[in-house]
Amino acid sequence: MSARQTQRDRLLALLHSRENEWVPLPEILALGIAQFGARILELRRAGFDIANKIERDESSVVHSWYRLLASPKNPEAPKPETAMPFGAVPSDGDWYEREHGPRSVQ
């Protein structure tokens, strides 16, 4: 098992253990996960519904929380181990053309 899978599995285990409860970011960071945002994105792409909220306190300090709302309903949904790697390009076409239409030829 690669380090990324281990990190993703540890993050998912934490979120599962507190299902439908907000998990503060310091608890996630305590797992020692590199690029926790990328791991959350991988889980979301694998079909996990993960919510997040951000609040500023009276001294403008930002506080973040994450919560697992649902696991994939489809038993054929990709597991975290097979989620698209961070930075991979989806195979559903050119992102620029999806966002802006056909490129102009110059």
Side-chain angles (χ1 to χ4, degrees):
M1 183 176 282
S2 74
R4 181 170 54 223
Q5 291 169 336
T6 300
Q7 291 177 1
R8 193 169 46 223
D9 290 343
R10 289 193 334 241
L11 176 57
L12 185 56
L14 173 62
L15 293 172
H16 265 300
S17 74
R18 307 271 299 277
E19 197 162 357
N20 292 316
E21 294 179 24
W22 290 106
V23 178
L25 181 56
E27 285 187 40
I28 294 171
L29 296 176
L31 296 174
I33 295 174
Q35 299 180 352
F36 76 92
R39 305 297 80 83
I40 288 177
L41 178 61
E42 292 168 353
L43 290 169
R44 286 175 172 156
R45 286 180 174 167
F48 293 91
D49 186 4
I50 300 171
N52 65 292
K53 70 176 179 176
I54 299 172
E55 295 177 357
R56 287 186 189 274
D57 66 16
E58 57 279 347
S59 59
S60 295
V61 174
V62 176
H63 300 276
S64 301
W65 295 266
Y66 292 84
R67 176 169 70 170
L68 179 63
L69 299 175
S71 295
K73 291 179 175 57
N74 179 353
E76 298 300 315
K79 305 293 184 256
E81 298 82 35
T82 61
M84 183 183 304
F86 180 71
V89 178
S91 62
D92 60 345
D94 183 299
W95 71 268
Y96 182 89
E97 290 184 358
R98 268 194 324 275
E99 296 292 321
H100 305 285
R103 296 174 187 255
S104 61
V105 178
Q106 307 224 356

